[in-house]
Coordinates of all heavy atoms in Angstrom, one line a residue:
L7 N -14.1 -5.4 -20.8 CA -14.0 -4.2 -20.0 C -15.1 -4.2 -18.9 O -14.8 -3.8 -17.8 CB -14.0 -2.9 -20.8 CG -12.8 -2.6 -21.6 CD1 -13.0 -1.4 -22.5 CD2 -11.6 -2.4 -20.7
V10 N -14.2 -6.7 -16.2 CA -13.2 -6.1 -15.3 C -13.9 -5.1 -14.3 O -13.7 -5.2 -13.1 CB -12.1 -5.5 -16.0 CG1 -11.2 -4.7 -15.1 CG2 -11.3 -6.5 -16.8
L14 N -14.1 -5.6 -10.2 CA -13.5 -4.6 -9.3 C -14.6 -4.0 -8.4 O -14.4 -3.7 -7.2 CB -12.7 -3.6 -10.1 CG -11.5 -4.1 -10.8 CD1 -10.9 -3.0 -11.7 CD2 -10.5 -4.6 -9.8
N58 N -4.3 -2.3 -3.7 CA -4.1 -1.8 -5.0 C -5.3 -2.0 -5.9 O -5.7 -1.2 -6.7 CB -2.8 -2.3 -5.6 CG -2.3 -1.5 -6.7 OD1 -2.6 -1.8 -7.9 ND2 -1.7 -0.4 -6.4
L59 N -5.9 -3.2 -5.8 CA -7.1 -3.6 -6.6 C -8.3 -2.7 -6.2 O -9.1 -2.4 -7.0 CB -7.5 -5.0 -6.4 CG -6.6 -6.0 -7.2 CD1 -6.9 -7.4 -6.7 CD2 -6.9 -5.9 -8.7
Q61 N -8.2 0.4 -4.9 CA -8.0 1.8 -4.9 C -7.4 2.4 -3.6 O -7.6 3.6 -3.3 CB -9.2 2.6 -5.3 CG -9.9 2.1 -6.5 CD -9.1 2.4 -7.8 OE1 -8.4 3.4 -7.9 NE2 -9.1 1.4 -8.7
A88 N 5.2 -3.8 -3.6 CA 4.7 -3.0 -4.7 C 4.8 -3.8 -6.0 O 3.9 -3.8 -6.8 CB 5.3 -1.7 -4.8
T89 N 6.0 -4.4 -6.2 CA 6.3 -5.2 -7.4 C 5.3 -6.4 -7.4 O 4.7 -6.6 -8.5 CB 7.7 -5.6 -7.4 OG1 8.6 -4.5 -7.4 CG2 8.0 -6.5 -8.7
S91 N 2.4 -6.6 -6.0 CA 1.1 -6.0 -6.2 C 0.8 -5.7 -7.6 O -0.2 -6.0 -8.2 CB 0.9 -4.8 -5.3 OG -0.3 -4.2 -5.6
C92 N 1.8 -5.0 -8.3 CA 1.6 -4.7 -9.7 C 1.5 -5.9 -10.6 O 0.7 -6.0 -11.5 CB 2.8 -3.8 -10.1 SG 2.8 -2.1 -9.4
C93 N 2.4 -6.9 -10.3 CA 2.3 -8.1 -11.1 C 1.1 -8.9 -10.9 O 0.5 -9.4 -11.8 CB 3.6 -9.0 -10.8 SG 5.1 -8.3 -11.3
F94 N 0.6 -9.0 -9.6 CA -0.6 -9.7 -9.3 C -1.8 -9.0 -10.1 O -2.6 -9.6 -10.7 CB -0.9 -9.7 -7.8 CG -2.2 -10.3 -7.4 CD1 -2.3 -11.7 -7.4 CD2 -3.3 -9.6 -7.1 CE1 -3.5 -12.3 -7.0 CE2 -4.5 -10.2 -6.8 CZ -4.6 -11.5 -6.7
T95 N -1.9 -7.7 -10.0 CA -2.9 -6.9 -10.6 C -2.9 -7.1 -12.1 O -3.9 -7.4 -12.8 CB -2.8 -5.4 -10.3 OG1 -2.9 -5.2 -8.9 CG2 -3.9 -4.6 -11.0
F96 N -1.7 -7.1 -12.7 CA -1.5 -7.3 -14.1 C -2.1 -8.6 -14.6 O -2.9 -8.7 -15.5 CB 0.0 -7.2 -14.5 CG 0.2 -7.4 -16.0 CD1 0.3 -6.3 -16.9 CD2 0.4 -8.6 -16.6 CE1 0.5 -6.4 -18.2 CE2 0.6 -8.8 -17.9 CZ 0.7 -7.7 -18.7
L97 N -1.6 -9.7 -13.9 CA -2.0 -11.0 -14.3 C -3.5 -11.2 -14.1 O -4.2 -11.8 -15.0 CB -1.2 -12.1 -13.5 CG 0.3 -12.1 -13.8 CD1 1.0 -13.0 -12.9 CD2 0.5 -12.4 -15.3
L98 N -4.1 -10.7 -13.0 CA -5.5 -10.9 -12.7 C -6.4 -10.1 -13.8 O -7.3 -10.7 -14.4 CB -5.9 -10.5 -11.3 CG -7.4 -10.5 -10.9 CD1 -7.8 -12.0 -11.0 CD2 -7.6 -9.9 -9.6
I99 N -6.0 -8.9 -13.9 CA -6.8 -8.0 -14.9 C -6.6 -8.5 -16.3 O -7.6 -8.5 -17.1 CB -6.4 -6.5 -14.7 CG1 -6.7 -6.1 -13.3 CG2 -7.2 -5.7 -15.7 CD1 -8.2 -6.2 -12.8
R100 N -5.4 -8.9 -16.7 CA -5.2 -9.5 -18.0 C -6.0 -10.7 -18.2 O -6.6 -10.9 -19.3 CB -3.7 -9.7 -18.2 CG -3.3 -10.5 -19.5 CD -3.6 -9.7 -20.8 NE -2.9 -8.4 -20.9 CZ -1.7 -8.3 -21.4 NH1 -1.0 -9.3 -21.9 NH2 -1.1 -7.1 -21.5
W101 N -6.1 -11.6 -17.2 CA -6.9 -12.8 -17.3 C -8.4 -12.5 -17.5 O -9.0 -13.1 -18.3 CB -6.7 -13.6 -16.0 CG -7.5 -14.9 -16.0 CD1 -7.3 -16.0 -16.8 CD2 -8.6 -15.2 -15.2 NE1 -8.2 -17.0 -16.5 CE2 -9.1 -16.5 -15.5 CE3 -9.2 -14.4 -14.2 CZ2 -10.1 -17.0 -14.8 CZ3 -10.3 -15.0 -13.5 CH2 -10.7 -16.3 -13.8
L102 N -8.9 -11.5 -16.8 CA -10.3 -11.1 -16.9 C -10.6 -10.3 -18.2 O -11.6 -10.5 -18.8 CB -10.7 -10.2 -15.7 CG -10.8 -10.9 -14.4 CD1 -11.0 -9.9 -13.2 CD2 -12.0 -11.9 -14.4
G103 N -9.7 -9.4 -18.5 CA -10.0 -8.4 -19.6 C -9.2 -8.6 -20.8 O -9.5 -7.9 -21.8
G104 N -8.2 -9.5 -20.8 CA -7.4 -9.6 -22.0 C -6.7 -8.3 -22.4 O -6.3 -7.5 -21.6
S105 N -6.7 -8.1 -23.7 CA -6.2 -6.8 -24.3 C -7.3 -5.9 -24.7 O -7.3 -5.4 -25.8 CB -5.2 -7.2 -25.4 OG -4.1 -7.9 -25.0
A106 N -8.3 -5.8 -23.9 CA -9.5 -5.1 -24.3 C -9.3 -3.7 -24.8 O -10.1 -3.2 -25.7 CB -10.5 -5.1 -23.1
L107 N -8.4 -3.0 -24.3 CA -8.1 -1.6 -24.7 C -7.6 -1.5 -26.1 O -7.9 -0.6 -26.8 CB -7.2 -0.9 -23.8 CG -7.7 -0.6 -22.4 CD1 -6.6 0.1 -21.6 CD2 -9.0 0.2 -22.4
R108 N -7.0 -2.6 -26.6 CA -6.5 -2.6 -28.0 C -7.7 -2.7 -29.0 O -7.5 -2.4 -30.1 CB -5.6 -3.9 -28.2 CG -4.3 -3.8 -27.5 CD -3.3 -3.0 -28.3 NE -2.1 -2.9 -27.6 CZ -1.0 -2.5 -28.1 NH1 -0.9 -2.1 -29.3 NH2 0.1 -2.4 -27.3
E109 N -8.8 -3.2 -28.5 CA -9.9 -3.4 -29.4 C -10.7 -2.1 -29.6 O -11.6 -2.1 -30.5 CB -10.9 -4.5 -28.8 CG -10.2 -5.8 -28.7 CD -11.0 -6.9 -28.0 OE1 -12.2 -6.6 -27.7 OE2 -10.4 -7.9 -27.6
M110 N -10.4 -1.1 -28.8 CA -11.1 0.2 -29.0 C -10.7 0.9 -30.3 O -9.5 0.9 -30.6 CB -10.9 1.1 -27.8 CG -11.4 0.5 -26.5 SD -11.1 1.5 -25.1 CE -12.2 2.8 -25.4
A115 N -6.1 6.5 -28.7 CA -5.6 5.2 -28.2 C -4.6 4.6 -29.1 O -3.6 4.0 -28.6 CB -6.8 4.3 -27.9
R117 N -2.5 6.1 -31.1 CA -1.2 6.8 -31.0 C -0.5 6.4 -29.7 O 0.7 6.3 -29.7 CB -1.5 8.3 -31.0 CG -1.8 8.8 -32.4 CD -1.9 10.3 -32.5 NE -0.9 11.0 -31.8 CZ -1.1 12.2 -31.3 NH1 -2.2 12.9 -31.6 NH2 -0.2 12.8 -30.7
I118 N -1.3 6.3 -28.6 CA -0.6 5.9 -27.3 C -0.1 4.5 -27.4 O 1.1 4.3 -27.0 CB -1.7 6.0 -26.2 CG1 -2.0 7.5 -25.9 CG2 -1.1 5.4 -24.9 CD1 -3.2 7.7 -25.0
F119 N -0.8 3.6 -28.0 CA -0.3 2.2 -28.2 C 0.9 2.2 -29.1 O 1.8 1.3 -28.9 CB -1.4 1.3 -28.6 CG -2.4 1.0 -27.6 CD1 -3.8 1.1 -28.0 CD2 -2.1 0.7 -26.3 CE1 -4.8 0.8 -27.0 CE2 -3.1 0.5 -25.4 CZ -4.4 0.5 -25.7
A120 N 1.0 3.0 -30.1 CA 2.1 3.1 -30.9 C 3.4 3.4 -30.2 O 4.5 2.8 -30.3 CB 1.9 4.0 -32.1
H121 N 3.3 4.4 -29.3 CA 4.4 4.8 -28.4 C 4.8 3.6 -27.4 O 6.0 3.3 -27.2 CB 4.2 6.0 -27.6 CG 4.1 7.3 -28.4 ND1 5.2 7.8 -29.1 CD2 3.1 8.1 -28.8 CE1 4.9 8.9 -29.7 NE2 3.6 9.1 -29.6
L122 N 3.8 3.0 -26.9 CA 4.0 1.9 -26.0 C 4.6 0.7 -26.7 O 5.6 0.1 -26.1 CB 2.7 1.5 -25.3 CG 2.7 0.4 -24.3 CD1 3.6 0.8 -23.1 CD2 1.3 0.0 -23.8
D123 N 4.2 0.4 -27.9 CA 4.8 -0.7 -28.7 C 6.2 -0.4 -29.1 O 7.0 -1.3 -29.2 CB 3.9 -1.0 -29.9 CG 2.5 -1.5 -29.5 OD1 2.3 -2.0 -28.4 OD2 1.6 -1.4 -30.4
E124 N 6.5 0.9 -29.4 CA 7.8 1.2 -29.9 C 8.9 1.1 -28.8 O 10.0 0.6 -29.0 CB 7.8 2.7 -30.4 CG 9.1 3.1 -31.0 CD 8.9 4.6 -31.5 OE1 7.9 4.9 -32.1 OE2 9.8 5.4 -31.2
R125 N 8.6 1.5 -27.6 CA 9.5 1.4 -26.4 C 8.8 1.1 -25.2 O 8.7 1.9 -24.3 CB 10.2 2.8 -26.3 CG 10.9 3.2 -27.6 CD 11.6 4.5 -27.4 NE 12.5 4.4 -26.3 CZ 13.8 4.8 -26.4 NH1 14.2 5.4 -27.5 NH2 14.6 4.7 -25.4
P126 N 8.3 -0.2 -25.0 CA 7.5 -0.5 -23.9 C 8.2 -0.4 -22.5 O 7.6 0.2 -21.6 CB 7.1 -2.0 -24.2 CG 8.1 -2.5 -25.1 CD 8.5 -1.3 -25.9
V127 N 9.4 -0.8 -22.4 CA 10.1 -0.7 -21.1 C 10.3 0.7 -20.7 O 10.1 1.1 -19.6 CB 11.4 -1.5 -21.2 CG1 12.2 -1.3 -19.9 CG2 11.2 -3.0 -21.3
A128 N 10.8 1.5 -21.7 CA 11.0 3.0 -21.4 C 9.7 3.7 -21.0 O 9.7 4.4 -20.0 CB 11.7 3.7 -22.5
V129 N 8.7 3.4 -21.7 CA 7.4 4.1 -21.4 C 6.9 3.6 -20.0 O 6.4 4.4 -19.2 CB 6.3 3.8 -22.5 CG1 4.9 4.2 -22.0 CG2 6.7 4.4 -23.8
I130 N 6.9 2.3 -19.7 CA 6.4 1.8 -18.4 C 7.3 2.3 -17.3 O 6.8 2.7 -16.2 CB 6.3 0.3 -18.5 CG1 5.3 -0.2 -19.4 CG2 6.1 -0.3 -17.1 CD1 5.2 -1.6 -19.8
T131 N 8.6 2.4 -17.5 CA 9.5 2.9 -16.5 C 9.2 4.3 -16.1 O 9.0 4.7 -15.0 CB 11.0 2.8 -16.9 OG1 11.3 1.4 -17.2 CG2 11.9 3.4 -15.9
L132 N 9.0 5.2 -17.2 CA 8.6 6.6 -16.9 C 7.2 6.7 -16.2 O 7.1 7.5 -15.3 CB 8.6 7.3 -18.3 CG 8.2 8.8 -18.2 CD1 9.2 9.6 -17.4 CD2 8.1 9.4 -19.6
L133 N 6.3 5.9 -16.7 CA 5.0 5.9 -16.0 C 5.0 5.5 -14.6 O 4.4 6.1 -13.7 CB 4.0 5.0 -16.8 CG 3.5 5.5 -18.2 CD1 2.8 4.4 -18.9 CD2 2.7 6.7 -18.0
R134 N 5.9 4.5 -14.3 CA 6.0 4.1 -12.9 C 6.7 5.2 -12.0 O 6.3 5.4 -10.9 CB 6.9 2.8 -12.8 CG 6.2 1.6 -13.2 CD 5.2 1.2 -12.1 NE 4.4 0.0 -12.6 CZ 3.1 -0.2 -12.4 NH1 2.4 0.7 -11.8 NH2 2.6 -1.2 -12.8
M135 N 7.7 5.9 -12.6 CA 8.3 7.0 -11.9 C 7.3 8.1 -11.6 O 7.4 8.7 -10.5 CB 9.5 7.6 -12.7 CG 10.7 6.7 -12.7 SD 12.0 7.5 -13.7 CE 13.2 6.3 -13.6
L136 N 6.4 8.3 -12.5 CA 5.4 9.4 -12.3 C 4.2 9.0 -11.5 O 3.8 9.8 -10.7 CB 4.9 9.9 -13.7 CG 6.0 10.6 -14.6 CD1 5.4 10.8 -16.0 CD2 6.5 11.8 -13.9
F137 N 3.7 7.8 -11.7 CA 2.5 7.4 -11.1 C 2.6 6.2 -10.1 O 1.6 5.7 -9.6 CB 1.4 7.1 -12.1 CG 1.2 8.2 -13.1 CD1 1.6 8.2 -14.4 CD2 0.5 9.3 -12.6 CE1 1.4 9.2 -15.2 CE2 0.3 10.4 -13.5 CZ 0.7 10.3 -14.8
Q138 N 3.8 5.7 -9.9 CA 4.1 4.6 -9.0 C 3.1 3.4 -9.2 O 3.1 2.8 -10.3 CB 4.1 5.0 -7.5 CG 5.2 6.0 -7.2 CD 4.8 7.4 -7.4 OE1 3.7 7.8 -7.0 NE2 5.6 8.2 -8.0
T139 N 2.3 3.1 -8.2 CA 1.4 1.9 -8.3 C 0.0 2.3 -8.4 O -0.9 1.5 -8.1 CB 1.6 1.0 -7.0 OG1 1.2 1.8 -5.9 CG2 3.0 0.5 -6.9
V140 N -0.3 3.4 -9.0 CA -1.7 3.9 -9.1 C -2.5 2.8 -9.8 O -2.1 2.4 -10.9 CB -1.7 5.2 -9.9 CG1 -3.1 5.6 -10.4 CG2 -1.1 6.4 -9.1
P141 N -3.6 2.4 -9.2 CA -4.4 1.3 -9.8 C -4.8 1.5 -11.2 O -4.8 0.6 -12.0 CB -5.6 1.2 -8.9 CG -5.1 1.7 -7.6 CD -4.1 2.8 -7.9
A142 N -5.2 2.7 -11.6 CA -5.7 3.0 -13.0 C -4.6 2.7 -14.0 O -4.8 2.2 -15.1 CB -6.2 4.4 -13.1
L143 N -3.3 3.0 -13.6 CA -2.2 2.7 -14.5 C -2.0 1.2 -14.6 O -1.8 0.7 -15.7 CB -0.9 3.3 -13.9 CG 0.4 3.0 -14.7 CD1 0.3 3.5 -16.1 CD2 1.6 3.5 -13.9
N144 N -2.1 0.5 -13.5 CA -2.0 -1.0 -13.6 C -3.1 -1.6 -14.5 O -2.8 -2.5 -15.3 CB -2.1 -1.6 -12.2 CG -1.0 -1.2 -11.3 OD1 0.1 -1.0 -11.8 ND2 -1.2 -1.1 -10.0
Y145 N -4.3 -1.1 -14.3 CA -5.4 -1.6 -15.1 C -5.2 -1.3 -16.6 O -5.3 -2.2 -17.5 CB -6.8 -1.0 -14.7 CG -7.1 -1.2 -13.3 CD1 -8.0 -0.3 -12.7 CD2 -6.7 -2.2 -12.5 CE1 -8.4 -0.4 -11.4 CE2 -7.0 -2.3 -11.1 CZ -7.9 -1.4 -10.6 OH -8.2 -1.5 -9.3
A146 N -4.8 -0.1 -16.9 CA -4.6 0.3 -18.3 C -3.5 -0.5 -18.9 O -3.7 -1.0 -20.1 CB -4.3 1.8 -18.4
L147 N -2.4 -0.7 -18.2 CA -1.3 -1.4 -18.8 C -1.6 -2.9 -18.9 O -1.3 -3.6 -19.9 CB 0.0 -1.3 -18.0 CG 0.6 0.1 -18.1 CD1 1.8 0.2 -17.0 CD2 1.2 0.4 -19.5
S148 N -2.4 -3.4 -18.0 CA -2.9 -4.8 -18.1 C -3.7 -5.1 -19.3 O -3.6 -6.1 -19.9 CB -3.6 -5.2 -16.8 OG -2.9 -5.1 -15.7
L149 N -4.6 -4.1 -19.6 CA -5.5 -4.3 -20.7 C -5.0 -3.8 -22.0 O -5.7 -3.8 -23.0 CB -6.8 -3.5 -20.4 CG -7.6 -4.0 -19.1 CD1 -8.7 -3.0 -18.7 CD2 -8.2 -5.4 -19.4
S150 N -3.7 -3.3 -22.0 CA -3.1 -2.7 -23.2 C -2.5 -3.7 -24.2 O -2.2 -3.3 -25.3 CB -2.0 -1.7 -22.8 OG -0.9 -2.4 -22.3
G151 N -2.3 -4.9 -23.8 CA -1.7 -5.9 -24.6 C -0.2 -5.9 -24.5 O 0.5 -6.7 -25.2
V152 N 0.4 -5.1 -23.6 CA 1.8 -5.1 -23.4 C 2.3 -6.4 -22.9 O 1.5 -7.0 -22.1 CB 2.3 -3.9 -22.5 CG1 1.8 -4.1 -21.1 CG2 3.8 -3.7 -22.6
R153 N 3.4 -6.9 -23.2 CA 3.9 -8.1 -22.7 C 4.3 -8.0 -21.2 O 4.8 -7.0 -20.8 CB 5.2 -8.6 -23.5 CG 4.9 -8.9 -24.9 CD 6.2 -9.4 -25.5 NE 5.9 -10.4 -26.4 CZ 6.7 -11.0 -27.2 NH1 8.0 -10.6 -27.2 NH2 6.3 -11.9 -28.1
F154 N 4.0 -9.1 -20.5 CA 4.3 -9.2 -19.1 C 5.8 -8.9 -18.8 O 6.1 -8.2 -17.9 CB 3.9 -10.5 -18.5 CG 4.2 -10.6 -17.0 CD1 3.5 -9.8 -16.1 CD2 5.3 -11.3 -16.5 CE1 3.8 -9.9 -14.7 CE2 5.6 -11.4 -15.2 CZ 4.8 -10.7 -14.3
R155 N 6.7 -9.4 -19.6 CA 8.1 -9.2 -19.4 C 8.4 -7.7 -19.5 O 9.2 -7.2 -18.6 CB 8.9 -10.0 -20.5 CG 10.4 -9.8 -20.5 CD 11.1 -10.5 -21.6 NE 10.8 -9.8 -22.8 CZ 10.6 -10.4 -24.0 NH1 10.5 -11.7 -24.1 NH2 10.4 -9.7 -25.1
H156 N 7.9 -7.0 -20.4 CA 8.1 -5.6 -20.5 C 7.5 -4.8 -19.3 O 8.1 -3.9 -18.8 CB 7.6 -5.0 -21.8 CG 8.3 -5.5 -23.0 ND1 7.6 -5.9 -24.2 CD2 9.6 -5.9 -23.2 CE1 8.5 -6.3 -25.1 NE2 9.7 -6.3 -24.5
Y157 N 6.4 -5.3 -18.9 CA 5.7 -4.7 -17.8 C 6.5 -4.8 -16.5 O 6.7 -3.9 -15.7 CB 4.3 -5.3 -17.6 CG 3.5 -4.9 -16.4 CD1 2.7 -3.7 -16.5 CD2 3.5 -5.6 -15.2 CE1 1.9 -3.3 -15.5 CE2 2.7 -5.1 -14.2 CZ 1.9 -4.0 -14.3 OH 1.2 -3.6 -13.2
L158 N 7.0 -6.0 -16.3 CA 7.8 -6.4 -15.1 C 9.1 -5.6 -15.1 O 9.5 -4.9 -14.1 CB 8.1 -7.9 -15.0 CG 9.0 -8.3 -13.9 CD1 8.4 -7.9 -12.5 CD2 9.3 -9.8 -14.0
I159 N 9.8 -5.5 -16.2 CA 11.1 -4.8 -16.3 C 10.9 -3.3 -16.0 O 11.6 -2.7 -15.3 CB 11.8 -5.0 -17.6 CG1 12.3 -6.5 -17.7 CG2 13.0 -4.1 -17.8 CD1 12.7 -6.9 -19.1
G160 N 9.9 -2.7 -16.7 CA 9.5 -1.3 -16.5 C 9.1 -1.0 -15.1 O 9.5 0.0 -14.5
T161 N 8.4 -1.9 -14.5 CA 8.0 -1.8 -13.1 C 9.2 -1.8 -12.1 O 9.4 -1.0 -11.2 CB 7.0 -2.8 -12.7 OG1 5.8 -2.6 -13.5 CG2 6.6 -2.7 -11.2
L162 N 10.1 -2.8 -12.4 CA 11.3 -3.0 -11.5 C 12.2 -1.7 -11.7 O 12.9 -1.3 -10.7 CB 12.1 -4.2 -11.9 CG 11.4 -5.6 -11.5 CD1 12.1 -6.7 -12.2 CD2 11.3 -5.7 -10.0
L163 N 12.3 -1.2 -12.8 CA 13.2 0.0 -13.1 C 12.5 1.3 -12.6 O 13.2 2.2 -12.2 CB 13.6 0.1 -14.5 CG 14.4 -1.0 -15.1 CD1 14.6 -0.9 -16.6 CD2 15.8 -1.1 -14.4
G164 N 11.2 1.4 -12.7 CA 10.5 2.7 -12.4 C 10.2 2.9 -11.0 O 10.0 4.1 -10.6
L165 N 10.1 1.9 -10.2 CA 9.6 2.1 -8.8 C 10.7 2.5 -7.8 O 10.4 3.2 -6.8 CB 9.0 0.8 -8.3 CG 7.6 0.5 -8.8 CD1 7.1 -0.9 -8.2 CD2 6.6 1.6 -8.4

Side-chain angles (χ1 to χ4, degrees):
L7 287 174
V10 169
L14 294 173
N58 200 261
L59 281 170
Q61 309 293 321
T89 300
S91 173
C92 290
C93 291
F94 178 79
T95 300
F96 180 93
L97 295 171
L98 179 63
I99 299 301
R100 173 65 61 88
W101 178 70
L102 289 170
S105 300
L107 292 179
R108 291 277 177 168
E109 297 171 13
M110 298 179 73
R117 284 185 42 205
I118 291 170
F119 289 135
H121 290 292
L122 183 60
D123 293 341
E124 185 179 316
R125 302 179 61 129
V127 172
V129 169
I130 293 168
T131 300
L132 179 62
L133 288 170
R134 285 287 178 220
M135 286 181 184
L136 295 173
F137 302 109
Q138 297 88 44
T139 62
V140 168
L143 174 62
N144 293 331
Y145 305 154
L147 289 172
S148 299
L149 297 168
S150 73
V152 70
R153 292 183 144 175
F154 178 73
R155 178 182 73 221
H156 295 142
Y157 179 84
L158 177 60
I159 294 168
T161 297
L162 290 171
L163 294 173
L165 285 178

